[in-house]
Amino acid sequence: MANSKKSSDERVVSFMDIGTNSVRVLLVRINPNHSYATLTQQKEIVRLGEGEFIDQYLQPAAMDRAILVCRKFAELSRSYGAEEIVAITTSAARDAINQADFLRRLRREAGLDVRVISGKEEARLIYLGVSSGVHLGDKQAAFIDVGGGSTEVIAVTRRLTTISAR
């Protein structure tokens, strides 16, 4: 088992991001004082959005690749003793007319309940991730995330002020 000894007050949580081009997993141990330690992080290119821009349809081969990687990452998460797997998907699934089929297959074949997030929620999460590692103080900033299927722009003063998703 990949998990090292943990106290009963610690939790292992897995975060999975199923994007247009890649699937990422981040496994963390959350400590009683709310600090955390990264156990592993991985990324695999799956090209879920391949060919989707033409007819807004996830191609069967692209779904197969994504589901295979998601199953592998779910098994990895469980081997670390993850109590929870938080899995989200973004633009490719959000815009796909066969989104429900993809989500059903993820549940059945990878054991994952995946939440499709909006562009605004995607931008909010990007802001939280970037701002957690950068102290802005009173500075203004703009964060731009150019993804495989969408672009998010976040403008910041002392607190989050504008979120735009395309």
Side-chain angles (χ1 to χ4, degrees), residues 1-3 6 12 27 39-40 75-82:
M1 172 140 57
N3 189 18
K6 68 176 188 137
V12 175
L27 273 129
L39 300 174
T40 189
E75 289 169 1
L76 175 71
S77 299
R78 292 178 187 112
S79 78
Y80 272 88

Side-chain angles (χ1 to χ4, degrees), residues 27-107:
L27 273 129
V28 297
R29 176 179 296 115
I30 302 173
N31 300 309
N33 65 358
H34 304 292
S35 66
Y36 67 92
T38 299
L39 300 174
T40 189
Q41 55 185 343
Q42 297 183 25
K43 171 185 167 182
E44 288 204 27
I45 304 296
V46 297
R47 304 228 184 278
L48 178 62
E50 178 180 60
E52 182 193 7
F53 299 114
I54 298 167
D55 57 8
Q56 293 186 301
Y57 185 82
L58 294 173
Q59 301 303 310
M63 287 195 292
D64 290 346
R65 290 189 303 267
I67 291 164
L68 178 68
V69 169
C70 287
R71 184 172 47 237
K72 174 183 150 184
F73 285 168
E75 289 169 1
L76 175 71
S77 299
R78 292 178 187 112
S79 78
Y80 272 88
E83 298 172 27
E84 183 177 9
I85 300 174
V86 178
I88 57 104
T89 187
T90 57
S91 179
R94 180 170 58 235
D95 298 336
I97 59 175
N98 58 339
Q99 172 193 112
D101 294 334
F102 180 56
L103 297 177
R104 244 188 318 277
R105 286 191 61 197
L106 283 165
R107 187 175 302 109

